[in-house]
Amino acid sequence: QQAQVSSILQSAARDVHALKDQHVSAHKQLHEILSAETIDRARLETVRADQIRLADEASQRFVSGLADAAEVLTPEQRAALVARMERHHDWQEP
């Protein structure tokens, strides 16, 4: 069970990390746009929209992996996982 959860989460992390190259490319494009003689607002908007899409894709993949892993666990194990996440991230209820 632990190996299965680990495999699921590692796969999700690899998928999200794979998006990093696209993010780095966008930063290079921003530098080009902002360093140009004139600012290409349309291109700037395209880069911005692409970054939002990438962030959404990464978020969806992360949540999907988390849900897949949670389905492998018992309710008690999920509660323990949430407690560990709260301690690790210092999360507090609103």
Side-chain angles (χ1 to χ4, degrees), residues 10 12 14 17 46 59 65 77 88:
Q10 286 176 1
R14 276 191 304 274
H17 187 71
T46 298
S59 175
Q77 290 169 320
H88 179 69

Side-chain angles (χ1 to χ4, degrees), residues 3 8 20 28 34 36-38 47 61-62 64 69 73 82 94:
I8 290 168
K20 182 180 179 185
K28 289 178 183 176
L34 296 174
E37 185 77 20
T38 59
V47 172
R61 181 60 183 106
F62 173 76
S64 175
L73 302 174
V82 168

Side-chain angles (χ1 to χ4, degrees), residues 37-91:
E37 185 77 20
T38 59
I39 303 301
D40 184 343
R41 289 180 178 265
R43 185 171 173 217
L44 195 57
E45 174 57 21
T46 298
V47 172
R48 184 204 65 80
D50 285 347
Q51 288 302 289
I52 295 297
R53 181 190 50 77
L54 278 176
D56 189 49
E57 189 176 325
S59 175
Q60 287 175 358
R61 181 60 183 106
F62 173 76
V63 169
S64 175
L66 197 55
D68 291 345
E71 286 178 337
V72 173
L73 302 174
T74 66
E76 293 79 18
Q77 290 169 320
R78 287 195 302 272
L81 175 63
V82 168
R84 189 174 343 153
M85 289 169 65
E86 288 173 346
R87 283 191 309 273
H88 179 69
H89 294 287
D90 196 28
W91 290 353

